Amino acid sequence: MPTPSISADNPASADASPADRIASILRGLLPAGAELALSWRDWALGNDSGATPGASGALKRRAEHALAETQVEHDGPVQRTYAWDNADGTARVALALALPHPLAAPEEDAWLSLARTLLVTSLDAARAQARIVSLEKSKRLQQALYEIADLAGADLEMPEMLRRIHAVVNSLMYAENCYIVLYDDQRRSVRFLYFADQRDPYVAEPEREFGEEEMANSMTFALLRHGQPLRGPSAVIRQKLGVMRDPSHGPDSLDWLGVPMRRDDRVCGAIVVQSYDAPASYADEDRALLGYVAQHILTALDRKHAHVELEHRVAVRTHELQRANRELQAEIMERKRAEKLQRALFRITDLAITSESLERFYADVHVVVDELINARNFYIALISDDGEQLAFPYSIDERDPMRKSRRMTNGLTEYVIATGRPLLADREVIGQLAEQGKLLQHGPPAYSWLGVPLFRGEDVVGTVVVQSYTEEVKFTSHDQNLLTFVAHHIGNGLDRQRAQERLRSAHAELERRVDERTRELAEANHQLRAQIGERLRAEQQLTYQATHDALTGLPNRPHLLDRLSAAIDRARHGDGQAFAVLFLDLDRFKLVNDSMGHAAGDELLVEVARRIIMSVRDDDVVSRLGGDEFALLVEYADGVENVRDFAQRLLALLGRPMWVAGRELFPSASLGIAVWHPRYRNGEELLRDADAAMYRAKEQGRDRCALFDEAMREAAMQSLDLEADLRRAINHRDFLPFYQPIRRMDDGRVIGHEALLRWQHERRGLLLPAEFIGLGEDSGLIEQVDWLLYEQVVRQIARGVEGYISVNVSPRHFRSPDFGDRLLAMFEAHGADPARLRLEITEVALLDDAPRTLRILRTLRQHGILAQLDDFGTGFSALSYLHRFPISVLKIDRSFVSGLGSEARPESLALVRAILALAGTLGIETIAEGVETEEQRKTLIELGCLLGQGYLLGRPAAQMEAVAADVA
């Protein structure tokens, strides 16, 4: 029997459900008057039932009951019921028949087989169709999500991206009316990122925030608070959420679907679609779909915001890199200028030694200056020795080619010399000074004029001047600073060049005298042939005396320089052996002269000369330069280490004991080595560098040798520069006190401050004392620096201070008998109370000149100025001076305090306890220095030390902390 098909062409299928159509088909295969009902349950399609028209309700119930029963029995010949499961158990089907008369068994079996086949085939087809529909929906959803992801990564503005996302959502469901909001649950506000509506004219303003108060009756806010998807007519949703109708929020819709967007557990926004025309436009499937899409929209928004934020950060970082690059370029330019200036200063220093004459030196200096600034018109003016004349040893000027010497008047040059300060002036300034009677213009008037003084020590001896006659060249303050800095080195170069001139003149005079004497001897030889031999011996003796040391018989400095010149010439032409210059100076030779006499010193020098000669080869040169200084010219073949080994052997030989004036002495020496290099142009340079290496050996502890390198020359130049900076800083008063509080450690009260010295350097910033105190002590400038500090402290006391201020006093001050009187006079001049000052001195100051120190301390104590002993325990620690001197406070050195605390060292604990016991016995206060941890503070309090200072209690600062009012 063929299987009927279910299609639209079958009349039985018109306007009927699939189950009804199947029932009608199956009835057509039964006898007339038969009725049929069927029912099925399918895992994919769900439950469904159908019946032929006119079938009774009882017949339908029989089919439904059979669907639920596991075993079905036939009711009778004309009442038949069938039920079965399909092959894979995913569906169950039941049939109930009402026949007009019984069917023959074959006919019944054939009809039942056909019914089974038709139902199974129909269910399979329905399931396949459902899967196709589901796949189509999944495909559309997946395509929509891909499009949303692509839009998030596309280079689109936010409104355009949201408009296209709207179009994608509209392709999945009815979404002509759609809007998207972002929610800030902290601020409780929303922003409408996108709004499209057929009836509501509102235009989205993404940057505007709407607070909850502004939209109290908004369904959008209610949805965000509710946190779950909502679907249905607007009126129903408002009633469910308890929201009043507010026409300002737009018209009502027949169907409204809103889905929150979540980030983790927080609601951060929502997407809403609505329909004004058709009720029930959205199903649960649409709600689930929109929820799924909403999270992808949120992801797209996050990606877009992240992209925008990234672009912003890239722009900010690019701007920062550009700014850093500009700063780096500026720093590079500044360093290049500094390097150019440094090279110029090195050239001036070299010219001072290498120039053949002063005239050549002036011309070379002009070339160097012209490389730094526009020096087309340049001259150097010098004051005569009597101070009456102004000479111009060098002058290059386009309008005044012959600048002649003149008497000192009131010209621009004399004005700079008289004031001792640089002058940068244009025609207007020059005119004003002339009207004031301060100067008189000499020579052609300059458009821009710059002059800086030349110093010899503290005295002005001349000027260096550049000037311009055109508006195109105008000097600046930078040029002034540059020329001032260069002038300092020019002054030093002039001194060296003059010294070189005097040396050359002396040498020339010596040669002249030798030549003169030689001619006299030659003439005498012609006249007195009998005395030829004697005259020759006299000439040889004179030559020998001119080139040898009288005491030791060694070659002297001129002889050594001649030999060095010859060695340099051979080395330059490649036909000489490598050589080095050794500069030797005896250690503590002055002690021998002072204690044993100059005769013993001469005997020691002779023995030293003998030992040096014993250690060298015949071709080497040993020279005495003067005093206890010797120089050796030695050749070597196997590397510099050979020279160093030779120097060590020589020092060991000199260190052997010798008997001088009846005493056994153990001399030692410091030795510097300068190895030949093509950069050396004469012997003076080699001797200079060997001398510098010798001083390095002395600094390293004496009785040793040191090899010269460029670091030594650089260190010397840096030391000179820092000393010049120190002198300028004293003139500019660039030193200031930083105040560190001294506190009671039990309650933290401030009882006073220690004034600590700081240098506000013009280029290097704030410098600590360790960076310049050593140079200040060596140069003697530290006393001037101290007095600048004392003056500022006295002014602070005069302005008013509770407690006291302590200052550090160098031992050098106690060597001055008027230190106390000068300090008290400063207090009187400023109207300050001296009782507010305390002096911090070291043990060295007490033992250096004890009687004078005692007198000064007693005088100051009578006026209320007390003395504190600083760094107690680190010096000589002679306890007797605690009785002799008026010491009021002992400051325990930080090296002992650092050993206290959680990891206390027993020796530190014992020393601090002993110092406190000693101070308590003598009735002297104690202050702990360098208190930096809470453990140190507690330990000191337990030991009985109540006063302290350190980083834990307060760091040094330019402003003083307030002191407790009840502290004396």
Side-chain angles (χ1 to χ4, degrees):
M1 180 182 294
T3 301
S5 62
I6 302 175
S7 67
D9 297 331
N10 192 334
S13 65
D15 299 326
S17 68
D20 290 338
R21 291 196 296 271
I22 294 174
S24 298
I25 293 171
L26 292 176
R27 189 185 63 174
L29 301 175
L30 293 173
E35 298 295 335
L36 180 145
L38 63 85
S39 180
W40 69 65
R41 181 176 62 243
D42 186 277
W43 67 272
L45 302 176
N47 295 342
D48 198 3
S49 61
T52 57
S56 64
L59 190 64
K60 296 178 182 178
R61 286 191 295 273
R62 282 171 53 202
E64 292 174 357
H65 291 162
L67 188 65
E69 295 174 359
T70 58
Q71 292 184 354
V72 179
E73 296 180 358
H74 303 298
D75 297 325
V78 294
Q79 299 289 332
R80 311 293 282 175
T81 304
Y82 310 95
W84 67 89
D85 295 329
N86 66 348
D88 53 6
T90 59
R92 184 172 176 80
V93 181
L95 288 173
L97 298 178
L99 300 172
H101 55 81
L103 295 176
E107 185 180 0
E108 181 179 357
D109 291 340
W111 179 87
L112 184 60
S113 175
L114 178 61
R116 284 176 179 270
T117 302
L118 177 61
L119 285 169
V120 170
T121 303
S122 299
L123 290 176
D124 289 342
R127 279 195 295 272
Q129 183 65 32
R131 283 196 297 271
I132 291 171
V133 172
S134 177
L135 288 174
E136 286 294 333
K137 290 184 178 179
S138 298
K139 180 179 179 182
R140 290 201 306 273
L141 177 60
Q142 186 178 29
Q143 183 63 32
L145 297 180
Y146 281 149
E147 291 182 18
I148 292 174
D150 290 341
L151 289 173
D155 187 15
L156 297 173
E157 297 295 331
M158 183 67 75
E160 177 62 18
M161 184 192 76
L162 294 176
R163 187 187 67 77
R164 295 194 184 185
I165 288 177
H166 176 203
V168 173
V169 174
N170 200 22
S171 68
L172 299 175
M173 66 183 69
Y174 179 78
E176 292 295 333
N177 308 296
C178 174
Y179 61 87
I180 301 173
V181 296
L182 285 184
Y183 178 54
D184 188 339
D185 58 354
Q186 301 295 324
R187 301 163 61 90
R188 301 188 71 83
S189 63
V190 298
R191 291 185 296 116
F192 284 85
L193 296 186
Y194 181 78
F195 194 91
D197 198 278
Q198 295 173 325
R199 297 188 182 182
D200 194 337
Y202 173 71
V203 177
E205 300 175 81
E207 301 303 322
R208 181 183 176 185
E209 285 188 333
F210 292 90
E212 192 171 14
E213 297 79 8
E214 296 180 74
M215 304 181 69
N217 295 318
S218 168
M219 289 175 61
T220 304
F221 260 107
L223 170 67
L224 295 170
R225 288 194 299 266
H226 184 65
Q228 298 297 327
L230 293 173
R231 176 172 63 88
S234 300
V236 174
I237 294 177
R238 280 201 305 273
Q239 183 178 4
K240 179 179 179 180
L241 299 178
V243 177
M244 299 294 293
R245 172 80 172 95
D246 188 346
S248 64
H249 296 319
D252 277 355
S253 57
L254 296 180
D255 202 2
W256 192 91
L257 174 59
V259 176
M261 294 188 293
R262 292 180 175 275
R263 186 178 292 111
D264 297 330
D265 294 332
R266 295 173 55 191
V267 175
C268 58
I271 179 171
V272 176
V273 295
Q274 53 188 332
S275 171
Y276 296 112
D277 302 322
S281 297
Y282 307 111
D284 289 339
E285 182 181 358
D286 296 323
R287 180 177 62 185
L289 179 63
L290 190 61
Y292 193 57
V293 171
Q295 291 306 118
H296 283 75
I297 292 176
L298 179 61
T299 302
L301 291 174
D302 288 344
R303 290 178 60 187
K304 190 66 177 179
H305 288 173
H307 182 71
V308 172
E309 180 66 20
L310 178 61
E311 288 183 343
H312 174 70
R313 291 182 180 178
V314 169
V316 171
R317 184 58 178 163
T318 302
H319 177 72
E320 292 175 353
L321 291 175
Q322 290 174 345
R323 178 173 56 80
N325 182 59
R326 291 194 297 270
E327 294 175 356
L328 180 61
Q329 293 297 326
E331 182 179 352
I332 291 173
M333 292 301 297
E334 184 61 30
R335 291 190 177 185
K336 286 183 177 180
R337 286 194 293 269
E339 291 175 359
K340 186 176 181 181
L341 175 60
Q342 194 68 29
R343 288 195 299 270
L345 298 181
F346 278 136
R347 287 181 60 189
I348 292 174
T349 303
D350 289 340
L351 289 173
I353 300 173
T354 59
S355 293
E356 300 174 355
S357 63
L358 275 174
E359 290 76 11
R360 182 71 262 169
F361 174 73
Y362 293 142
D364 292 340
V365 164
H366 180 199
V367 173
V368 174
V369 173
D370 195 38
E371 293 177 357
L372 300 175
I373 61 177
N374 192 313
R376 181 177 181 180
N377 305 295
F378 173 87
Y379 67 83
I380 297 175
L382 297 176
I383 307 173
S384 62
D385 293 336
D386 58 7
E388 298 295 329
Q389 293 287 328
L390 187 65
F392 299 92
Y394 184 82
S395 176
I396 297 295
D397 196 284
E398 57 186 331
R399 297 191 182 181
D400 192 1
M402 296 296 293
R403 186 171 275 108
K404 298 179 180 180
S405 301
R406 65 170 184 260
R407 292 186 61 81
M408 292 288 289
T409 60
N410 59 344
L412 279 169
T413 306
E414 291 88 339
Y415 181 82
V416 174
I417 294 173
T419 59
R421 296 193 302 270
L423 175 62
L424 175 61
D426 54 16
R427 288 184 178 178
E428 182 179 353
V429 174
I430 295 172
Q432 292 174 357
L433 293 174
E435 290 177 1
Q436 297 170 6
K438 294 183 178 180
L439 55 83
L440 180 65
Q441 176 74 44
H442 289 275
Y447 178 78
S448 182
W449 194 91
L450 173 60
V452 297
L454 280 175
F455 287 92
R456 181 181 299 152
E458 298 293 332
D459 301 326
V460 180
V461 297
T463 58
V464 177
V465 177
V466 292
Q467 53 186 335
S468 166
Y469 297 110
T470 63
E471 296 183 1
E472 287 75 15
V473 179
K474 184 177 182 180
F475 301 110
T476 64
S477 57
H478 175 74
D479 297 329
Q480 175 182 319
N481 294 335
L482 194 63
L483 191 60
T484 301
F485 195 59
V486 172
H488 172 75
H489 290 266
I490 293 176
N492 293 338
L494 283 175
D495 289 342
R496 293 178 184 174
Q497 186 60 222
R498 285 175 175 170
Q500 292 284 343
E501 283 286 333
R502 288 193 294 270
L503 182 61
R504 284 192 287 267
S505 298
H507 187 69
E509 178 65 18
L510 179 62
E511 290 183 348
R512 186 188 64 77
R513 291 182 180 181
V514 170
D515 291 341
E516 184 178 298
R517 184 59 178 163
T518 302
R519 286 194 301 271
E520 291 175 357
L521 289 175
E523 291 175 1
N525 183 47
H526 287 294
Q527 297 174 2
L528 302 171
R529 288 186 174 274
Q531 300 179 3
I532 290 177
E534 185 65 26
R535 298 280 177 119
L536 285 175
R537 284 193 298 272
E539 182 179 350
Q540 292 171 355
Q541 182 65 24
L542 183 61
T543 304
Y544 183 84
Q545 291 175 354
T547 58
H548 287 74
D549 175 52
L551 177 63
T552 61
L554 296 176
N556 58 11
R557 187 185 189 95
H559 189 154
L560 176 65
L561 290 175
D562 288 342
R563 295 291 297 272
L564 278 173
S565 297
I568 291 172
D569 288 341
R570 290 195 301 272
R572 287 194 183 281
H573 291 87
D575 56 355
Q577 194 169 359
F579 66 91
V581 173
L582 284 66
F583 199 105
L584 184 145
D585 182 89
L586 297 179
D587 298 330
R588 296 180 293 277
F589 176 72
K590 184 176 183 298
L591 181 61
V592 176
N593 273 341
D594 294 344
S595 59
M596 300 175 62
H598 288 278
D602 290 346
E603 186 178 346
L604 174 62
L605 292 173
V606 172
E607 176 60 19
V608 168
R610 186 186 67 80
R611 292 188 180 186
I612 295 175
I613 293 173
M614 289 172 52
S615 65
V616 302
R617 297 169 298 189
D618 293 340
D619 295 336
D620 297 332
V621 180
V622 180
S623 171
R624 182 187 176 210
L625 304 181
D628 60 338
E629 294 179 342
F630 296 86
L632 290 77
L633 170 60
V634 298
E635 295 181 343
Y636 64 92
D638 299 328
V640 179
E641 287 303 319
N642 261 354
V643 181
R644 197 189 295 271
D645 293 342
F646 167 72
Q648 295 291 353
R649 293 196 303 273
L650 177 58
L651 291 176
L653 178 62
L654 293 178
R656 293 177 182 176
M658 66 175 63
W659 286 90
V660 175
R663 290 181 179 271
E664 186 178 21
L665 300 181
F666 294 84
S668 67
S670 298
L671 194 149
I673 305 171
V675 178
W676 153 251
H677 188 275
R679 67 171 175 271
Y680 290 113
R681 289 169 289 187
N682 52 52
E684 289 285 358
E685 295 182 0
L686 274 164
L687 280 176
R688 176 199 65 200
D689 291 348
D691 188 13
M694 182 271 294
Y695 277 106
R696 174 62 61 88
K698 282 189 178 293
E699 292 172 0
Q700 294 174 347
R702 303 183 179 182
D703 192 20
R704 64 191 64 210
C705 65
L707 184 66
F708 178 81
D709 54 25
E710 288 301 323
M712 294 185 186
R713 179 180 294 185
E714 182 67 22
M717 296 303 298
Q718 290 180 356
S719 179
L720 288 174
D721 293 341
L722 186 59
E723 182 177 349
D725 292 346
L726 190 60
R727 293 183 183 276
R728 283 195 299 274
I730 293 173
N731 294 333
H732 297 161
R733 308 176 73 87
D734 291 336
F735 299 93
L736 66 155
F738 268 47
Y739 299 98
Q740 185 174 29
I742 302 172
R743 298 179 182 270
R744 289 181 60 86
M745 290 188 289
D746 51 357
D747 57 11
R749 287 191 303 163
V750 178
I751 66 166
H753 291 80
E754 180 180 355
L756 303 173
L757 178 64
R758 298 292 187 269
W759 177 6
Q760 188 64 48
H761 196 279
E762 58 184 355
R763 295 185 308 277
R764 297 168 57 188
L766 197 66
L767 299 184
L768 298 178
E771 301 182 59
F772 60 88
I773 284 293
L775 178 62
E777 292 282 358
D778 294 341
S779 62
L781 298 175
I782 194 62
E783 292 186 55
Q784 299 180 51
V785 174
D786 284 346
W787 281 110
L788 292 176
L789 177 72
Y790 300 159
E791 182 180 4
Q792 296 184 64
V793 171
V794 171
R795 287 179 177 175
Q796 177 66 41
I797 294 175
R799 288 194 296 268
V801 59
E802 298 182 19
Y804 65 85
I805 300 177
S806 64
V807 296
N808 291 281
V809 181
S810 170
R812 300 174 65 97
H813 289 291
F814 290 101
R815 298 173 193 158
S816 174
D818 65 340
F819 170 71
D821 296 335
R822 183 176 177 184
L823 186 62
L824 292 172
M826 185 179 291
F827 273 94
E828 183 176 356
H830 289 85
D833 181 8
R836 297 292 185 182
L837 182 71
R838 293 191 182 182
L839 304 182
E840 294 199 7
I841 59 178
T842 61
E843 298 167 357
V844 176
L846 298 180
L847 301 178
D848 192 10
D849 189 349
R852 175 181 295 171
T853 304
L854 181 60
R855 287 195 304 272
I856 294 174
L857 292 179
R858 284 177 175 173
T859 300
L860 295 175
R861 190 180 183 90
Q862 292 172 1
H863 291 80
I865 300 178
L866 303 181
Q868 301 183 161
L869 192 57
D870 196 13
D871 301 333
F872 181 72
T874 61
F876 299 99
S877 299
L879 301 181
S880 60
Y881 57 61
L882 295 179
H883 291 281
R884 295 173 54 198
F885 293 91
I887 304 299
S888 62
V889 176
L890 296 181
K891 299 192 77 172
I892 304 174
D893 187 70
R894 66 179 61 248
S895 62
F896 303 142
V897 175
S898 64
L900 305 178
S902 58
E903 299 180 0
R905 296 194 294 269
E907 61 273 15
S908 297
L909 197 62
L911 285 170
V912 173
R913 185 179 287 112
I915 293 172
L916 292 172
L918 174 64
T921 302
L922 298 176
I924 299 176
E925 287 186 346
T926 57
I927 298 174
E929 295 183 296
V931 181
E932 297 183 353
T933 66
E934 184 64 24
E935 290 81 1
Q936 294 171 358
R937 184 186 73 85
K938 291 179 179 178
T939 303
L940 288 167
I941 294 175
E942 291 173 359
L943 292 175
C945 180
L946 299 181
L947 303 180
Q949 71 180 100
Y951 284 174
L952 178 66
L953 306 175
R955 292 179 176 268
Q959 300 298 326
M960 185 183 300
E961 293 189 23
V963 183
D966 58 346
V967 178

